[in-house]
Amino acid sequence: MNKETMSSTTVEHEYGADEIQILEGLEAVRKRPGMYIGTTASRGLHHLVYEIVDNSVDEALAGYCDTIEVTINEGNSVTVVDNGRGIPVGINHKAGIPAVEVVFTILHAGGKFGGGGYKVSGGLHGVGASVVNALSNWLEVEIYQDGKIYKQRYERGNVCYPLKEVGTCELEKTGTRVTFLPDDTIFTETTVFDFDVLKRRLREMAFLTKGLRIILKDDRQDEIPVDTENSQINELLRRAEADRMEETAAGAALEKKPKRAEFYYEGGIKQFVAYLNKSKTPLYENILYFEGEKNHVYVEVAFQHNDSYNESVFSFVNNINTPEGGTHLMGFRNAITKTFNDYARSAKLLKDSEPNLSGEDIREGLTAIVSVKIEDPQFEGQTKQKLGNSEARSAVDSIVSEQLTYFLEQNPAIAKSICEKSILAQRAREAARKARDLTRRKTALEGLSLPGKLADCSDKDPKNCEIYIVEGDSAGGSAKTARSRATQAILPLRGKILNVEKARLDKIYANAEIKAMITAFGTGIHDDFDITKLRYNKIILMTDADVDGAHISTLLLTFIYRFMPELIKEGHVYLAKPPLYKLEKNKKIWYAYSDDELDRILQEVGRDQNNKIQRYKGLGEMDAEQLWETTMDPERRILLRVNYDQEMESELDLTFTTLMGDKVEPRREFIEENAKFVKNLDIT
Ligand code: TTJ
């Protein structure tokens, strides 16, 4: 660092001409933040952290950093610290200012200082630190280098003072520390970081970068209101909570939030596969892992089959999830299809007279991670999420083919078990195809015949229509009485529905409840899926507010997610939210949908001894009129829309957005805006 330049640099003078350019650049980011981070809602807020962390991950990939620490501070600023070489502090000759200042104040300046290795232009849009700076109320950077500590501060992207030395440190200590506070005039929806959201993404980053330690800390105080006055209501709430813990094991929500998480995976994506298969039964012990580099594409693949029937293959480019796949995924699929067929033929597991195994057969029960690092990724397709580089296809294909062929030769027992599973899958697929062709021919001949149990609505315009999938015949009966016949259809389901994770296609197609839903929805499934044929705008799952109800919802969501995921992605799937409590006083009735709301109501009406509080255990405890008032009347009900987070698809998380009745009631504020439903696909 050139001292002279530093001391003669002032905001008014040396920054003159450059400053205008710089300000224009960052001003554009503040004017149109969505263009740079996609959204200014919660997701965009969290992207700020990833953008910063990506820089440290780059340093780790270059081999100079092995620990990154992320802290959510009191007041919702975030600090990211790494032990890399530290952002260069010397003058960047092109810009005439310290390189670190270029990084934070010039748009798209990230990646210009790469010291070899793969530059992972990070985050969703790869726009870097200057965008975070532009969208922060303030940002401070500290660099530990050559025994000195350098510091600079920015406010809304503007330099507060030239980079300065603020102290000394041990010579060996190097690294970068960045703290920023997101601008609440930009992130108007929320500026509160969600520990779990950051945790999931940081875990993914750690899986994808073997040997890198990532630590996440939450230094915020807990905001649990302490209420000492109202012992009566507290006692009731305690009892209700104890009750619920017992019967629903929903205790997780009541546990103290974890304040620290640490991720370190020496085996990288190999451990990612182990993590994804944690609650499954693997077909064999080994996790296959192949690694190599070809045509400047660095390829890593890990996989293991489990005894389920679903494919869970996740692909990444430069540590970014590619839910729509692309050339890297095609290379992987092609390689395993070809290699397993070759092996099955040469080992005589597949007779000459038998047809080839399809890719689908081989991928039945396959959990895999395909991760490539590439210097100049090209994204294609409507959403620009599909990798287009053809060299990625050939690199993955040849590395996997070569190493897998060798592995299968060395491990005949594993090779045989995979081939045998694939052959069973092939037969089931053939049986399922025949069954499906039969139903197709039938429907073509006889027209669509709706399931007998369905009480359909009279309105024929799907836009106005909704279908309630109701647990149990008795609740189904009440719902049929309660409904608004014109627009609400009712389909009662009996008992627990089939877990599609644990059944082959032929068995799934034979299941009565599943057939009933498929015909009622009208869209068909998988390749036949056609959303224009959807018969209802809203598909509403209505189950008891207990552990069995939650289980049934999970099974239903699993079915929809696996067979018609578009319904979730397009926002057609909802959960009804029945009330938890009914409160009666002087012949008046209140319903509470949460413990907080019950508390509020009690505060309003007074906590007298004669309050009658009933805790609903199931839909069956309500008569038709109550069911209508509380759960089905579009004016008054609460619906949770099921959302699907594409970016974190390896976690299979479904989140819910609360939708209130058209009539805006005071209860709105009581209800949690976002509930999270962690979909445990291994529920039995
Ligand atoms: C680049 O090549 C020359 C030596 O320094 C390399 C570098 O910039 N390393 C680096 C940057 N390590 N960590 C960062 C970094 C860390 C944070 C938290 C934020 C930003 C923008 C960069």
Side-chain angles (χ1 to χ4, degrees), residues 337-338 340-342 344-345 350-359 361-362 422-423 426 429:
T337 307
K338 185 180 59 189
F340 276 107
N341 270 298
D342 288 352
R345 296 258 178 233
L350 205 57
K351 289 191 206 103
D352 289 344
S353 59
E354 288 171 317
N356 259 359
L357 299 165
S358 74
D361 300 333
I362 292 157
S422 305
I423 291 165
Q426 186 186 45
R429 182 169 52 89

Side-chain angles (χ1 to χ4, degrees), residues 497-632:
I497 78 144
L498 181 73
N499 184 352
V500 298
E501 296 288 324
K502 301 225 153 153
R504 275 220 171 86
L505 276 182
D506 47 344
K507 196 171 152 207
I508 294 169
Y509 290 137
N511 181 273
E513 326 294 316
I514 292 208
K515 265 200 289 206
M517 282 188 282
I518 297 173
T519 32
F521 297 172
T523 54
I525 59 169
H526 290 323
D527 296 343
D528 290 338
F529 183 86
D530 179 358
I531 200 149
T532 64
K533 298 214 176 99
L534 182 60
R535 301 181 62 251
Y536 310 95
N537 188 38
K538 288 191 175 77
I539 293 166
I540 303 167
L541 313 181
M542 185 163 72
T543 59
D544 289 343
D546 65 4
V547 67
D548 287 335
H551 187 184
I552 291 166
S553 300
T554 302
L555 292 170
L556 290 169
L557 286 173
T558 305
F559 159 65
I560 297 173
Y561 170 73
R562 289 294 187 192
F563 286 74
M564 22 192 138
E566 294 85 350
L567 290 183
I568 297 178
K569 288 175 194 168
E570 305 281 320
H572 291 290
V573 183
Y574 299 80
L575 293 198
K577 193 171 164 65
L580 286 179
Y581 302 99
K582 177 174 145 185
L583 186 141
E584 262 184 271
K585 188 182 172 179
N586 305 332
K587 300 252 151 73
K588 273 176 85 179
I589 293 175
W590 289 262
Y591 295 103
Y593 293 77
S594 68
D595 291 334
D596 275 353
E597 189 179 7
L598 178 64
D599 193 12
R600 264 340 145 88
I601 295 169
L602 282 170
Q603 246 168 51
E604 234 170 73
V605 305
R607 298 187 157 78
D608 310 337
Q609 294 305 318
N610 74 353
N611 286 345
K612 214 176 118 201
I613 297 172
Q614 180 193 351
R615 185 179 143 73
Y616 283 118
K617 295 252 157 106
L619 298 166
E621 289 177 36
M622 278 182 268
D623 60 29
E625 195 185 325
Q626 288 171 334
L627 193 61
W628 167 255
E629 281 179 359
T630 61
T631 320
M632 294 180 71

Side-chain angles (χ1 to χ4, degrees), residues 211-226:
L212 172 63
R213 187 178 305 276
I214 303 184
I215 300 160
L216 173 64
K217 289 185 186 163
D218 193 340
D219 280 354
R220 294 171 297 188
Q221 289 306 118
D222 255 346
E223 281 171 50
I224 297 167
V226 186

Side-chain angles (χ1 to χ4, degrees), residues 52 55-56 59 80-82 84-88 103-104 113-115 119 129 176-178:
I52 295 297
N55 294 281
S56 299
E59 185 70 351
V80 180
V81 191
D82 72 36
R85 290 167 291 181
I87 308 174
V103 167
F104 283 99
F113 307 93
K119 207 64 198 167
T176 306
R177 168 197 298 268
V178 170

Side-chain angles (χ1 to χ4, degrees), residues 271-514:
Q271 276 170 280
F272 202 164
V273 169
Y275 171 81
L276 295 171
N277 266 348
K278 198 172 52 185
S279 54
K280 313 246 161 93
T281 311
L283 206 62
Y284 42 87
E285 235 172 73
N286 310 44
I287 295 171
L288 286 70
Y289 175 79
F290 309 125
E291 180 191 22
E293 191 184 325
K294 207 189 156 197
N295 299 332
H296 301 283
V297 183
Y298 171 64
V299 178
E300 272 186 291
V301 166
F303 69 83
Q304 184 185 45
H305 285 80
N306 59 57
D307 70 353
S308 84
Y309 308 107
N310 294 117
E311 175 185 344
S312 302
V313 178
F314 303 103
S315 61
F316 297 85
V317 176
N318 295 352
N319 289 354
I320 302 163
N321 189 202
T322 40
E324 290 181 33
T327 48
H328 53 332
L329 190 61
M330 290 195 266
F332 173 70
R333 288 182 165 182
N334 190 48
I336 59 170
T337 307
K338 185 180 59 189
T339 308
F340 276 107
N341 270 298
D342 288 352
Y343 182 86
R345 296 258 178 233
S346 71
K348 306 272 179 245
L349 296 166
L350 205 57
K351 289 191 206 103
D352 289 344
S353 59
E354 288 171 317
N356 259 359
L357 299 165
S358 74
E360 230 180 295
D361 300 333
I362 292 157
R363 296 193 303 272
E364 186 191 86
L366 177 68
T367 298
I369 300 290
V370 177
S371 171
V372 301
K373 302 222 166 69
I374 185 166
E375 220 143 332
D376 185 22
Q378 302 294 318
F379 290 98
E380 296 178 339
Q382 281 206 325
T383 50
K384 294 260 176 272
Q385 291 196 66
K386 222 170 158 175
L387 186 67
N389 305 55
S390 61
E391 72 272 24
R393 185 212 306 254
S394 55
V396 178
D397 192 337
S398 79
I399 286 163
V400 173
S401 297
E402 197 174 295
Q403 297 183 31
L404 178 60
T405 302
Y406 181 74
F407 180 92
L408 296 181
E409 278 163 12
Q410 299 295 309
N411 298 273
I414 294 176
K416 192 172 171 211
S417 70
I418 299 174
C419 290
E420 279 172 353
K421 182 176 167 65
S422 305
I423 291 165
L424 285 179
Q426 186 186 45
R427 290 187 191 141
R429 182 169 52 89
E430 193 51 29
R433 190 185 58 78
K434 280 183 186 147
R436 203 171 55 174
D437 284 354
L438 209 68
T439 35
R440 267 205 205 127
R441 232 171 300 141
K442 250 196 193 157
T443 40
L445 284 174
E446 301 157 14
L448 187 86
S449 72
L450 290 165
K453 289 199 294 180
L454 174 76
D456 209 3
C457 50
S458 55
D459 195 320
K460 291 297 165 223
D461 184 354
K463 265 206 296 301
N464 308 325
C465 297
E466 46 193 49
I467 181 169
Y468 274 80
I469 311 293
V470 187
E471 159 192 5
D473 283 337
S474 78
S478 299
K480 281 182 190 176
T481 313
R483 72 186 174 131
S484 159
R485 279 171 176 277
T487 57
Q488 295 180 322
I490 310 291
L491 181 66
L493 296 180
R494 193 170 296 130
K496 294 213 162 159
I497 78 144
L498 181 73
N499 184 352
V500 298
E501 296 288 324
K502 301 225 153 153
R504 275 220 171 86
L505 276 182
D506 47 344
K507 196 171 152 207
I508 294 169
Y509 290 137
N511 181 273
E513 326 294 316
I514 292 208

